[in-house]
Structure formats: structure tokens, C-alpha cells
Amino acid sequence: MSEKRTDYISWDEYFMGIAQLSAMRSKDPNTQVGACIVSKENKILSMGYNGFPKGCDDDVFPWNREGDLENSKYAYVTHSELNAILNYRGGSLEGTKMYVTLFPCNECAKAIIQAGIRELVYADDKYQGTPGNLASKRMLKAAGVKMTPYQKTKKTLQLYV
């Protein structure tokens, strides 16, 4: 009888690592966010990161946080969660799980609910308690979406070597 191996990462570590790696694709100089959607069978269905829509040049559109709406990133950036949902081309996302590096805003919460995603695993909740964050949690809870904080372990990936 052989000993059980323990030198591998868990599914949560794996999928959050994919979300973290996806976030590194974002050109946002302030907040890089990534998302990964997986099936009940632990198969990766889609990924996304925050950035501008197709055809909107990252070097032309503003990354500013301040200023009027037209001249700040907020009018143009598509969040990682929505990108992951829109990137999926396989049909329904009903019953899936999403891993995301930052707790979703209220707009992304709507998309998560409408897509049928049933569980959300999030690494950071830095906007906890803000009006948008409270609205997001209220909707997700009402829709029955399970919200699970990611538990870092000793095996959590070190992406910046």
C-alpha cells in the first residue's frame, strides 16, 4: 500500500492561481483583476481580466481614476467577471463556480446572477462595506449565490518570483 501524496495544490488553489495569472494580463496601472469560471466537474470554461473592449486601444483610452467620466477608465473598462462570462462560447453557465481576485461590483453581480453562476470564490474584498459592495452582496445572497472567501495556504502560488 502506498502513501497518499500531499505535494499538489487543491482545486481552489489551482483555479485561484489561474484567476491571479489572468489578472496579470490587465494593463490597468491601479487594479488588476482576474476571473476563472469552472464547471461542476472542475473543468475550466472561461477566464477574463479587466480591460477595454475589443477594438478599444489600451494606449488610446484613459486609465485615469480621476476626472470626469468620459476621461476616466470607469466609462470604458470591462471588469474581469463580465469578460469571463462574455468570453464563454459553450452555452449555459448554469451551476458553475467563479473564482475572482476581487469581490465583484454590483454590476458584475447582476451578470453573475443572470449567467446562472452558483458559487463565487473571491480572494480580496477591499471595498467591503461600501454601498456598491453591500448592494452586490445583497443581490448575490437573494439569488442564492454562495460567496466563499478564498483561504490562502502554504501552497498558494507565488506569482512574482
Side-chain angles (χ1 to χ4, degrees):
M1 187 160 76
S2 64
E3 290 184 40
K4 185 177 178 181
R5 287 186 55 206
T6 59
D7 59 340
Y8 56 90
I9 61 174
S10 69
W11 286 117
D12 281 351
E13 290 166 320
Y14 179 65
F15 296 129
M16 189 57 76
I18 297 293
Q20 291 170 335
L21 206 54
S22 295
M24 294 172 71
R25 282 286 310 145
S26 174
K27 293 184 181 177
D28 190 322
N30 298 299
T31 307
Q32 294 177 305
V33 183
C36 179
I37 303 173
V38 301
S39 72
K40 294 174 193 171
E41 296 79 26
N42 290 320
K43 304 293 183 207
I44 296 172
L45 301 176
S46 187
M47 295 170 280
Y49 56 89
N50 57 318
F52 296 129
K54 290 180 190 175
C56 297
D57 190 329
D58 293 327
D59 298 320
V60 174
F61 283 80
W63 285 110
N64 306 329
R65 294 168 73 176
E66 272 88 53
D68 60 36
L69 185 61
E70 184 182 2
N71 293 305
S72 72
K73 69 179 182 176
Y74 301 110
Y76 308 104
V77 170
T78 303
H79 289 178
S80 66
E81 303 92 326
L82 184 57
N83 267 328
I85 291 167
L86 295 173
N87 286 340
Y88 184 60
R89 298 286 187 247
S92 175
L93 290 171
E94 194 70 40
T96 58
K97 183 187 289 191
M98 177 181 278
Y99 290 80
V100 66
T101 59
L102 181 63
F103 195 90
C105 72
N106 58 300
E107 292 299 319
C108 288
K110 295 174 195 177
I112 289 165
I113 293 164
Q114 291 299 90
I117 295 167
R118 303 306 301 154
E119 184 174 354
L120 179 69
V121 180
Y122 60 93
D124 190 8
D125 194 7
K126 77 175 183 178
Y127 298 108
Q128 184 175 7
T130 63
N133 181 268
L134 294 172
S136 179
K137 289 179 180 176
R138 182 177 179 185
M139 286 187 286
L140 291 164
K141 183 177 180 181
V145 177
K146 183 179 177 185
M147 297 170 274
T148 307
Y150 175 65
Q151 299 297 315
K152 292 182 181 178
T153 67
K154 291 179 182 178
K155 293 181 186 173
T156 299
L157 298 176
Q158 299 297 320
L159 295 177
Y160 301 102
V161 182

